[in-house]
Amino acid sequence: MMDMQFTDVGGVTKAVLVGRLDSFSVGEVETRFVANIVPKEQSAVVDLSEVSFIASLGIRMLIGTARALQRSNARFAMFGANDAVMEIIETTSLGEIIPVVDTEDEAIAAVSA
Amino acid sequence: MTEADNTQVITVARDLDLIPGDRLHCLELIDCVDVGRRHVVGPLGLKIGRTPPADIVLLDSEVSRTHCFVALTANELTVSDLGSTNGTFIDGVRVEDPTPLPVGSILQIGKRSLQHEYRTRAEIAESDELDRELQRASAYIHALLPPPSREGPVRCDWIHVPCARLGGDAFGYGKLGDDLFVAYLIDVAGHGAGAAMLAVAVMSQLRQRTLPDTDMHSPAEVLTTLNRLYQMEDQADLYFTIWYSVYDARNRTLRYAAAGHHPALLVPPDRSHAIPVGTRNVIIGAMPGVSFKEAVIDIAPGSSIYVFSDGVFEIVDKGGKQWALGDFEKLILDPPIAGMGETQRLFHRVRDAATPGPLDDDFSLVVAQFD
């Protein structure tokens, strides 16, 4: 199961994901995730510090959101991934598509540059 | 042959028309794609066991001949264990006395799992049709997979067990020319017929070596072309990962590239360690116009290489631990079992380690043995 929270940090949408982003939970949360980020047409950052696993469908959700924001000239970044999630990000080279940094401040800076 | 293929299901005279009510209680095997996986529970109930005259026969060594009984009373299902050796479980809890089986809960018997669904007749008809479509798609993918190769400088064996919702795994191998051998595995993100269709489309092009203006001997070039042809916006937001290689038997070198895919594992003859064989490239379809890296590795005589999808190792084990690649690597390095192929050994090891119930994703594993 996965929980999500959304806040606005100075004109940047911040999403906090908690739990496993596996193929079952993606089906449950994807619509809400996209609906809370993409229509605002503003840059967004995602806190991954409480995410324990990302399956390929979760990666698809993140890439799809990043590309949708790109069409609105907005940016997307992620931060706080633990070692297990970083291994997945590195294996899939997701970091070459979406910036992945350590802290929220770095993520905000990355989408605000 | 998969475990699902080994399951023989016998249904007694249980015509839906003879069972009263608009909604019907069903027990549905959740670890296979098969229209015969659904069993409607009528007023007489259902007996489950390993041999007839059980109503549902599960050919699983952990299932007793007469294992348990599912009764329908007052529009509810109740499960009674019939003195089975290995027990009957509802959502992981062993059944000691007659116990209600709520809608949505999972009845576990041996290695098999059945879910209690409460469906209208229309839903059953619709679900049956969907199952048939997935079964056809699964059979089609299976038909495109190459036969095991038992001769020549590279001998290959494989196992492909589609998950219940059918994932998007596909793979192939074969000669690319004199002394040249190609092997690849693709994994489309997603489940169902859409993912399977994309997997088939890509596999067909790779099988026929028909990528336009592409040197099929160059893994980087192949990946570059695939990325140009299969951008996710043009593919219903589907993308895929791939591992692709070309082995030259004349100089014993393997050229390889991976895109969004974990490395294959190369194991020397002494099985002392596994060497990751992969390159870091973006997922195919996720970003246009990127370049792809490839690499080369020497192959020692007698080595084996294991190429697989993420469904092989991304499991949660019975202790609740999420597995990563390293956990599967340990299994690979365990000694072979006499009389059992490597692919079967590893499938059963993973299946035994995983939490009960169906695997979440396709299980695709190719093992190639070099001379």
Side-chain angles (χ1 to χ4, degrees), chain A residues 20 22-24 52-61 63-64 67 71 87-88 90-94 96-98, chain B residues 165 189-191 231-233 237-239 260-262 280-283 285-288 310 314 316 322 324-325 360:
Chain A
R20 287 171 52 83
D22 58 25
S23 55
F24 291 104
S52 56
F53 174 70
I54 303 180
S56 56
L57 276 177
I59 291 169
R60 189 178 84 175
M61 180 182 91
I63 292 174
R67 293 185 70 153
R71 288 193 282 275
E87 183 179 327
I88 296 166
E90 287 172 0
T91 298
T92 55
S93 293
L94 183 59
E96 292 192 29
I97 302 165
I98 304 170
Chain B
R165 295 171 297 157
H191 296 97
Q231 282 296 301
M232 58 193 292
E233 282 94 346
D237 280 338
L238 293 172
Y239 72 73
H261 202 89
H262 51 272
R280 295 258 167 88
N281 290 305
V282 296
I283 293 158
M287 183 186 276
D310 56 8
E314 285 187 347
V316 177
Q322 173 70 53
L325 183 58
D360 190 26

Short mmCIF file of all heavy atoms in Angstrom, two decimals, chain A residues 20 22-24 52-61 63-64 67 71 87-88 90-94 96-98, chain B residues 165 189-191 231-233 237-239 260-262 280-283 285-288 310 314 316 322 324-325 360:
data_model
loop_
_atom_site.label_atom_id
_atom_site.label_comp_id
_atom_site.label_asym_id
_atom_site.label_seq_id
_atom_site.Cartn_x
_atom_site.Cartn_y
_atom_site.Cartn_z
N ARG A 20 5.35 1.06 -0.65
CA ARG A 20 5.89 0.36 -1.82
C ARG A 20 5.18 0.85 -3.08
O ARG A 20 3.96 0.83 -3.15
CB ARG A 20 5.64 -1.15 -1.70
CG ARG A 20 6.49 -1.85 -0.69
CD ARG A 20 5.99 -3.29 -0.50
NE ARG A 20 5.88 -3.99 -1.78
CZ ARG A 20 6.89 -4.59 -2.40
NH1 ARG A 20 8.09 -4.58 -1.87
NH2 ARG A 20 6.69 -5.22 -3.54
N ASP A 22 4.72 -0.61 -5.92
CA ASP A 22 4.73 -1.81 -6.74
C ASP A 22 3.58 -1.77 -7.75
O ASP A 22 2.81 -0.81 -7.79
CB ASP A 22 4.68 -3.08 -5.88
CG ASP A 22 3.45 -3.11 -4.98
OD1 ASP A 22 2.45 -2.46 -5.31
OD2 ASP A 22 3.52 -3.78 -3.94
N SER A 23 3.47 -2.82 -8.55
CA SER A 23 2.51 -2.74 -9.65
C SER A 23 1.06 -2.65 -9.15
O SER A 23 0.22 -2.06 -9.81
CB SER A 23 2.68 -3.95 -10.58
OG SER A 23 2.58 -5.15 -9.87
N PHE A 24 0.78 -3.19 -7.98
CA PHE A 24 -0.58 -3.09 -7.44
C PHE A 24 -0.86 -1.67 -6.95
O PHE A 24 -1.90 -1.09 -7.24
CB PHE A 24 -0.79 -4.10 -6.31
CG PHE A 24 -0.80 -5.52 -6.80
CD1 PHE A 24 0.29 -6.32 -6.61
CD2 PHE A 24 -1.90 -6.03 -7.47
CE1 PHE A 24 0.30 -7.63 -7.07
CE2 PHE A 24 -1.90 -7.33 -7.94
CZ PHE A 24 -0.80 -8.13 -7.74
N SER A 52 10.01 2.23 -0.14
CA SER A 52 10.89 1.07 0.07
C SER A 52 11.18 0.29 -1.22
O SER A 52 12.12 -0.50 -1.27
CB SER A 52 10.26 0.11 1.09
OG SER A 52 8.96 -0.27 0.67
N PHE A 53 10.37 0.53 -2.24
CA PHE A 53 10.54 -0.25 -3.48
C PHE A 53 9.82 0.46 -4.62
O PHE A 53 8.75 1.03 -4.42
CB PHE A 53 9.94 -1.66 -3.30
CG PHE A 53 9.94 -2.50 -4.55
CD1 PHE A 53 11.13 -2.98 -5.09
CD2 PHE A 53 8.76 -2.79 -5.21
CE1 PHE A 53 11.13 -3.74 -6.25
CE2 PHE A 53 8.75 -3.55 -6.37
CZ PHE A 53 9.95 -4.03 -6.89
N ILE A 54 10.42 0.43 -5.80
CA ILE A 54 9.75 0.98 -6.99
C ILE A 54 9.79 -0.09 -8.08
O ILE A 54 10.87 -0.50 -8.52
CB ILE A 54 10.42 2.26 -7.52
CG1 ILE A 54 10.46 3.34 -6.43
CG2 ILE A 54 9.67 2.80 -8.73
CD1 ILE A 54 11.12 4.65 -6.88
N ALA A 55 8.64 -0.53 -8.54
CA ALA A 55 8.55 -1.48 -9.65
C ALA A 55 8.56 -0.73 -10.97
O ALA A 55 8.47 0.51 -11.00
CB ALA A 55 7.28 -2.32 -9.52
N SER A 56 8.64 -1.47 -12.06
CA SER A 56 8.75 -0.82 -13.37
C SER A 56 7.53 0.05 -13.67
O SER A 56 7.65 1.09 -14.30
CB SER A 56 8.94 -1.87 -14.46
OG SER A 56 7.90 -2.82 -14.42
N LEU A 57 6.36 -0.35 -13.18
CA LEU A 57 5.18 0.48 -13.41
C LEU A 57 5.28 1.79 -12.63
O LEU A 57 4.76 2.82 -13.07
CB LEU A 57 3.91 -0.27 -13.01
CG LEU A 57 3.34 -1.21 -14.07
CD1 LEU A 57 2.14 -1.95 -13.53
CD2 LEU A 57 2.95 -0.44 -15.32
N GLY A 58 5.93 1.75 -11.47
CA GLY A 58 6.15 2.98 -10.70
C GLY A 58 7.08 3.92 -11.45
O GLY A 58 6.88 5.14 -11.47
N ILE A 59 8.10 3.34 -12.07
CA ILE A 59 9.02 4.15 -12.87
C ILE A 59 8.27 4.78 -14.04
O ILE A 59 8.47 5.95 -14.38
CB ILE A 59 10.20 3.28 -13.36
CG1 ILE A 59 11.06 2.92 -12.15
CG2 ILE A 59 11.02 3.99 -14.42
CD1 ILE A 59 12.08 1.85 -12.42
N ARG A 60 7.39 4.00 -14.63
CA ARG A 60 6.59 4.55 -15.74
C ARG A 60 5.74 5.72 -15.26
O ARG A 60 5.63 6.73 -15.95
CB ARG A 60 5.69 3.46 -16.33
CG ARG A 60 5.01 3.90 -17.61
CD ARG A 60 4.16 2.80 -18.19
NE ARG A 60 2.84 2.76 -17.59
CZ ARG A 60 1.86 1.95 -17.99
NH1 ARG A 60 2.08 1.10 -18.96
NH2 ARG A 60 0.70 1.98 -17.41
N MET A 61 5.16 5.62 -14.08
CA MET A 61 4.35 6.71 -13.53
C MET A 61 5.21 7.97 -13.35
O MET A 61 4.79 9.08 -13.70
CB MET A 61 3.75 6.28 -12.18
CG MET A 61 2.90 7.32 -11.52
SD MET A 61 2.28 6.76 -9.90
CE MET A 61 3.59 7.37 -8.82
N ILE A 63 8.13 8.72 -14.88
CA ILE A 63 8.58 9.25 -16.18
C ILE A 63 7.43 9.96 -16.89
O ILE A 63 7.59 11.05 -17.45
CB ILE A 63 9.14 8.12 -17.07
CG1 ILE A 63 10.44 7.58 -16.48
CG2 ILE A 63 9.38 8.62 -18.49
CD1 ILE A 63 10.99 6.36 -17.23
N GLY A 64 6.27 9.35 -16.85
CA GLY A 64 5.10 9.96 -17.51
C GLY A 64 4.77 11.32 -16.93
O GLY A 64 4.46 12.27 -17.66
N ARG A 67 7.44 13.86 -18.06
CA ARG A 67 7.29 14.27 -19.46
C ARG A 67 6.07 15.15 -19.64
O ARG A 67 6.06 16.06 -20.47
CB ARG A 67 7.25 13.03 -20.36
CG ARG A 67 8.60 12.31 -20.35
CD ARG A 67 8.65 11.16 -21.32
NE ARG A 67 8.65 11.59 -22.70
CZ ARG A 67 9.19 10.90 -23.70
NH1 ARG A 67 9.77 9.75 -23.45
NH2 ARG A 67 9.14 11.33 -24.94
N ARG A 71 6.07 19.24 -20.96
CA ARG A 71 5.26 19.87 -22.02
C ARG A 71 4.68 21.21 -21.55
O ARG A 71 4.27 22.02 -22.37
CB ARG A 71 4.14 18.92 -22.44
CG ARG A 71 4.64 17.72 -23.25
CD ARG A 71 3.50 16.98 -23.92
NE ARG A 71 2.79 16.13 -22.99
CZ ARG A 71 3.15 14.88 -22.68
NH1 ARG A 71 4.22 14.34 -23.24
NH2 ARG A 71 2.45 14.17 -21.82
N GLU A 87 19.42 1.83 -5.94
CA GLU A 87 19.90 0.75 -6.80
C GLU A 87 18.97 0.59 -8.01
O GLU A 87 19.43 0.42 -9.14
CB GLU A 87 19.99 -0.56 -6.02
CG GLU A 87 20.55 -1.71 -6.85
CD GLU A 87 20.65 -3.02 -6.05
OE1 GLU A 87 20.90 -2.97 -4.83
OE2 GLU A 87 20.47 -4.09 -6.67
N ILE A 88 17.68 0.68 -7.76
CA ILE A 88 16.71 0.57 -8.86
C ILE A 88 16.85 1.77 -9.81
O ILE A 88 16.84 1.62 -11.04
CB ILE A 88 15.27 0.48 -8.29
CG1 ILE A 88 15.11 -0.81 -7.48
CG2 ILE A 88 14.23 0.57 -9.39
CD1 ILE A 88 13.87 -0.85 -6.61
N GLU A 90 19.46 3.60 -10.33
CA GLU A 90 20.71 3.53 -11.09
C GLU A 90 20.63 2.44 -12.17
O GLU A 90 21.10 2.64 -13.29
CB GLU A 90 21.88 3.27 -10.14
CG GLU A 90 22.23 4.51 -9.32
CD GLU A 90 23.26 4.23 -8.24
OE1 GLU A 90 23.70 3.07 -8.14
OE2 GLU A 90 23.60 5.17 -7.50
N THR A 91 20.04 1.31 -11.83
CA THR A 91 19.94 0.23 -12.82
C THR A 91 19.14 0.68 -14.03
O THR A 91 19.48 0.35 -15.17
CB THR A 91 19.24 -1.00 -12.19
OG1 THR A 91 20.05 -1.47 -11.12
CG2 THR A 91 19.06 -2.11 -13.22
N THR A 92 18.09 1.44 -13.80
CA THR A 92 17.23 1.86 -14.90
C THR A 92 17.69 3.19 -15.51
O THR A 92 17.05 3.67 -16.45
CB THR A 92 15.79 2.01 -14.41
OG1 THR A 92 15.77 2.92 -13.29
CG2 THR A 92 15.21 0.69 -13.97
N SER A 93 18.75 3.75 -14.97
CA SER A 93 19.23 5.07 -15.43
C SER A 93 18.13 6.12 -15.37
O SER A 93 18.10 7.04 -16.18
CB SER A 93 19.81 4.98 -16.85
OG SER A 93 20.98 4.21 -16.84
N LEU A 94 17.23 5.95 -14.43
CA LEU A 94 16.14 6.92 -14.28
C LEU A 94 16.68 8.32 -13.99
O LEU A 94 16.08 9.33 -14.38
CB LEU A 94 15.21 6.46 -13.14
CG LEU A 94 13.97 7.30 -12.87
CD1 LEU A 94 13.08 7.37 -14.10
CD2 LEU A 94 13.19 6.73 -11.68
N GLU A 96 18.97 9.83 -15.35
CA GLU A 96 19.30 10.59 -16.56
C GLU A 96 18.07 11.26 -17.15
O GLU A 96 18.17 12.12 -18.01
CB GLU A 96 19.92 9.66 -17.61
CG GLU A 96 21.30 9.16 -17.17
CD GLU A 96 22.04 8.47 -18.31
OE1 GLU A 96 21.80 8.84 -19.48
OE2 GLU A 96 22.83 7.57 -18.02
N ILE A 97 16.90 10.84 -16.67
CA ILE A 97 15.65 11.42 -17.17
C ILE A 97 15.08 12.39 -16.15
O ILE A 97 14.59 13.46 -16.49
CB ILE A 97 14.63 10.30 -17.46
CG1 ILE A 97 15.22 9.32 -18.48
CG2 ILE A 97 13.31 10.87 -17.98
CD1 ILE A 97 14.46 8.01 -18.58
N ILE A 98 15.15 12.01 -14.88
CA ILE A 98 14.64 12.84 -13.79
C ILE A 98 15.78 13.06 -12.80
O ILE A 98 16.36 12.09 -12.30
CB ILE A 98 13.47 12.13 -13.07
CG1 ILE A 98 12.36 11.77 -14.06
CG2 ILE A 98 12.93 13.01 -11.96
CD1 ILE A 98 11.29 10.85 -13.46
N ARG B 165 -1.67 -11.91 -14.65
CA ARG B 165 -2.19 -10.81 -15.48
C ARG B 165 -1.41 -10.67 -16.79
O ARG B 165 -1.66 -9.76 -17.55
CB ARG B 165 -2.12 -9.49 -14.69
CG ARG B 165 -3.04 -9.50 -13.48
CD ARG B 165 -2.78 -8.30 -12.61
NE ARG B 165 -1.42 -8.33 -12.07
CZ ARG B 165 -0.77 -7.26 -11.66
NH1 ARG B 165 -1.31 -6.08 -11.75
NH2 ARG B 165 0.45 -7.38 -11.16
N ALA B 189 7.12 -2.60 -19.44
CA ALA B 189 6.53 -2.22 -18.15
C ALA B 189 5.02 -2.27 -18.27
O ALA B 189 4.43 -1.58 -19.10
CB ALA B 189 6.98 -0.82 -17.76
N GLY B 190 4.41 -3.11 -17.46
CA GLY B 190 2.95 -3.19 -17.49
C GLY B 190 2.50 -4.62 -17.62
O GLY B 190 3.31 -5.54 -17.73
N HIS B 191 1.19 -4.80 -17.58
CA HIS B 191 0.61 -6.12 -17.67
C HIS B 191 -0.52 -6.11 -18.68
O HIS B 191 -1.00 -5.06 -19.07
CB HIS B 191 0.06 -6.55 -16.30
CG HIS B 191 1.12 -6.70 -15.26
ND1 HIS B 191 1.40 -5.70 -14.35
CD2 HIS B 191 1.98 -7.69 -15.00
CE1 HIS B 191 2.38 -6.10 -13.57
NE2 HIS B 191 2.76 -7.30 -13.94
N GLN B 231 9.19 5.31 -29.02
CA GLN B 231 8.99 6.32 -27.98
C GLN B 231 7.63 6.12 -27.31
O GLN B 231 6.64 5.83 -27.98
CB GLN B 231 9.11 7.72 -28.57
CG GLN B 231 10.55 8.16 -28.80
CD GLN B 231 11.33 8.25 -27.47
OE1 GLN B 231 10.96 9.00 -26.58
NE2 GLN B 231 12.42 7.47 -27.37
N MET B 232 7.59 6.28 -26.00
CA MET B 232 6.39 5.88 -25.25
C MET B 232 5.14 6.66 -25.63
O MET B 232 4.04 6.12 -25.55
CB MET B 232 6.65 5.90 -23.74
CG MET B 232 7.09 7.18 -23.15
SD MET B 232 7.72 6.97 -21.43
CE MET B 232 6.26 6.51 -20.52
N GLU B 233 5.30 7.91 -26.08
CA GLU B 233 4.09 8.66 -26.50
C GLU B 233 3.39 8.00 -27.67
O GLU B 233 2.18 8.12 -27.84
CB GLU B 233 4.45 10.10 -26.91
CG GLU B 233 4.67 11.04 -25.76
CD GLU B 233 6.13 11.13 -25.40
OE1 GLU B 233 6.92 10.27 -25.86
OE2 GLU B 233 6.49 12.04 -24.67
N ASP B 237 1.99 5.05 -23.98
CA ASP B 237 2.74 5.28 -22.74
C ASP B 237 3.44 4.03 -22.21
O ASP B 237 3.76 3.95 -21.03
CB ASP B 237 1.84 5.88 -21.64
CG ASP B 237 1.64 7.37 -21.84
OD1 ASP B 237 2.47 8.00 -22.51
OD2 ASP B 237 0.64 7.88 -21.32
N LEU B 238 3.67 3.07 -23.08
CA LEU B 238 4.42 1.88 -22.66
C LEU B 238 5.90 2.06 -23.01
O LEU B 238 6.24 2.64 -24.04
CB LEU B 238 3.89 0.63 -23.37
CG LEU B 238 2.48 0.19 -23.00
CD1 LEU B 238 2.02 -0.94 -23.92
CD2 LEU B 238 2.43 -0.26 -21.55
N TYR B 239 6.75 1.58 -22.16
CA TYR B 239 8.17 1.55 -22.47
C TYR B 239 8.69 0.16 -22.17
O TYR B 239 7.98 -0.67 -21.58
CB TYR B 239 8.95 2.61 -21.67
CG TYR B 239 9.11 2.31 -20.20
CD1 TYR B 239 9.98 1.31 -19.75
CD2 TYR B 239 8.42 3.02 -19.23
CE1 TYR B 239 10.13 1.02 -18.42
CE2 TYR B 239 8.56 2.75 -17.88
CZ TYR B 239 9.42 1.74 -17.49
OH TYR B 239 9.57 1.45 -16.15
N GLY B 260 17.99 0.34 -19.34
CA GLY B 260 17.05 0.30 -18.23
C GLY B 260 16.94 -1.06 -17.58
O GLY B 260 16.08 -1.28 -16.73
N HIS B 261 17.80 -1.97 -17.99
CA HIS B 261 17.71 -3.37 -17.57
C HIS B 261 18.89 -3.70 -16.67
O HIS B 261 20.00 -3.24 -16.91
CB HIS B 261 17.74 -4.27 -18.81
CG HIS B 261 17.14 -5.62 -18.60
ND1 HIS B 261 15.81 -5.88 -18.78
CD2 HIS B 261 17.69 -6.79 -18.19
CE1 HIS B 261 15.56 -7.15 -18.52
NE2 HIS B 261 16.70 -7.73 -18.16
N HIS B 262 18.62 -4.50 -15.65
CA HIS B 262 19.69 -4.95 -14.77
C HIS B 262 20.69 -5.81 -15.56
O HIS B 262 20.34 -6.34 -16.62
CB HIS B 262 19.10 -5.77 -13.61
CG HIS B 262 18.20 -6.84 -14.09
ND1 HIS B 262 16.85 -6.64 -14.30
CD2 HIS B 262 18.45 -8.10 -14.50
CE1 HIS B 262 16.32 -7.74 -14.78
NE2 HIS B 262 17.26 -8.64 -14.92
N ARG B 280 24.81 0.90 -18.32
CA ARG B 280 23.78 1.82 -17.86
C ARG B 280 23.31 2.68 -19.03
O ARG B 280 24.04 3.51 -19.53
CB ARG B 280 24.35 2.72 -16.76
CG ARG B 280 24.74 1.94 -15.50
CD ARG B 280 23.67 2.12 -14.44
NE ARG B 280 23.83 1.16 -13.36
CZ ARG B 280 24.60 1.36 -12.28
NH1 ARG B 280 25.27 2.49 -12.17
NH2 ARG B 280 24.69 0.45 -11.33
N ASN B 281 22.13 2.43 -19.47
CA ASN B 281 21.50 3.23 -20.53
C ASN B 281 20.06 3.49 -20.13
O ASN B 281 19.47 2.70 -19.37
CB ASN B 281 21.52 2.47 -21.86
CG ASN B 281 22.91 2.34 -22.45
OD1 ASN B 281 23.60 3.33 -22.67
ND2 ASN B 281 23.32 1.11 -22.73
N VAL B 282 19.48 4.55 -20.67
CA VAL B 282 18.09 4.86 -20.30
C VAL B 282 17.15 3.81 -20.90
O VAL B 282 17.46 3.13 -21.88
CB VAL B 282 17.66 6.27 -20.76
CG1 VAL B 282 18.47 7.35 -20.07
CG2 VAL B 282 17.74 6.40 -22.25
N ILE B 283 15.98 3.74 -20.29
CA ILE B 283 14.91 2.85 -20.73
C ILE B 283 14.54 3.18 -22.18
O ILE B 283 14.54 4.34 -22.58
CB ILE B 283 13.70 3.07 -19.80
CG1 ILE B 283 14.04 2.59 -18.39
CG2 ILE B 283 12.45 2.46 -20.35
CD1 ILE B 283 13.17 3.22 -17.32
N GLY B 285 12.39 4.19 -25.04
CA GLY B 285 11.12 4.92 -25.19
C GLY B 285 10.94 6.06 -24.22
O GLY B 285 9.99 6.83 -24.34
N ALA B 286 11.85 6.18 -23.25
CA ALA B 286 11.64 7.19 -22.21
C ALA B 286 12.19 8.56 -22.60
O ALA B 286 11.75 9.57 -22.05
CB ALA B 286 12.28 6.73 -20.91
N MET B 287 13.13 8.60 -23.52
CA MET B 287 13.75 9.88 -23.87
C MET B 287 14.29 9.80 -25.30
O MET B 287 15.09 8.93 -25.60
CB MET B 287 14.90 10.17 -22.90
CG MET B 287 15.56 11.51 -23.12
SD MET B 287 16.99 11.72 -22.06
CE MET B 287 16.24 12.30 -20.56
N PRO B 288 13.84 10.70 -26.16
CA PRO B 288 14.31 10.62 -27.55
C PRO B 288 15.74 11.14 -27.70
O PRO B 288 16.22 11.93 -26.89
CB PRO B 288 13.32 11.53 -28.29
CG PRO B 288 12.82 12.48 -27.26
CD PRO B 288 12.85 11.77 -25.94
N ASP B 310 13.12 -8.76 -14.44
CA ASP B 310 13.13 -8.37 -13.02
C ASP B 310 12.12 -9.18 -12.20
O ASP B 310 12.23 -9.25 -10.97
CB ASP B 310 12.91 -6.87 -12.84
CG ASP B 310 11.64 -6.37 -13.50
OD1 ASP B 310 10.83 -7.19 -13.96
OD2 ASP B 310 11.43 -5.13 -13.54
N GLU B 314 12.57 -9.66 -8.17
CA GLU B 314 11.85 -8.63 -7.40
C GLU B 314 10.66 -9.25 -6.69
O GLU B 314 9.49 -9.01 -7.03
CB GLU B 314 11.41 -7.48 -8.32
CG GLU B 314 12.59 -6.59 -8.70
CD GLU B 314 12.18 -5.36 -9.48
OE1 GLU B 314 11.03 -5.29 -9.95
OE2 GLU B 314 13.02 -4.46 -9.62
N VAL B 316 8.96 -10.49 -2.73
CA VAL B 316 9.01 -10.33 -1.27
C VAL B 316 9.03 -11.73 -0.69
O VAL B 316 8.17 -12.56 -0.99
CB VAL B 316 7.78 -9.55 -0.77
CG1 VAL B 316 7.80 -9.46 0.75
CG2 VAL B 316 7.74 -8.15 -1.38
N GLN B 322 12.16 -7.46 0.84
CA GLN B 322 12.14 -7.20 -0.60
C GLN B 322 13.48 -7.63 -1.19
O GLN B 322 14.53 -7.15 -0.79
CB GLN B 322 11.93 -5.70 -0.85
CG GLN B 322 12.07 -5.28 -2.31
CD GLN B 322 10.93 -5.79 -3.17
OE1 GLN B 322 9.78 -5.58 -2.84
NE2 GLN B 322 11.26 -6.46 -4.27
N ALA B 324 16.54 -8.04 -3.89
CA ALA B 324 17.24 -7.28 -4.94
C ALA B 324 18.08 -8.28 -5.74
O ALA B 324 18.09 -9.48 -5.45
CB ALA B 324 18.10 -6.20 -4.31
N LEU B 325 18.79 -7.76 -6.70
CA LEU B 325 19.55 -8.62 -7.60
C LEU B 325 20.52 -9.54 -6.85
O LEU B 325 20.70 -10.71 -7.20
CB LEU B 325 20.32 -7.76 -8.60
CG LEU B 325 21.12 -8.46 -9.68
CD1 LEU B 325 20.25 -9.37 -10.52
CD2 LEU B 325 21.84 -7.43 -10.56
N ASP B 360 4.28 -11.78 -8.86
CA ASP B 360 3.71 -10.50 -9.28
C ASP B 360 3.99 -10.19 -10.74
O ASP B 360 3.30 -9.39 -11.36
CB ASP B 360 4.32 -9.41 -8.38
CG ASP B 360 3.64 -8.08 -8.56
OD1 ASP B 360 2.46 -8.08 -8.94
OD2 ASP B 360 4.29 -7.05 -8.32
#
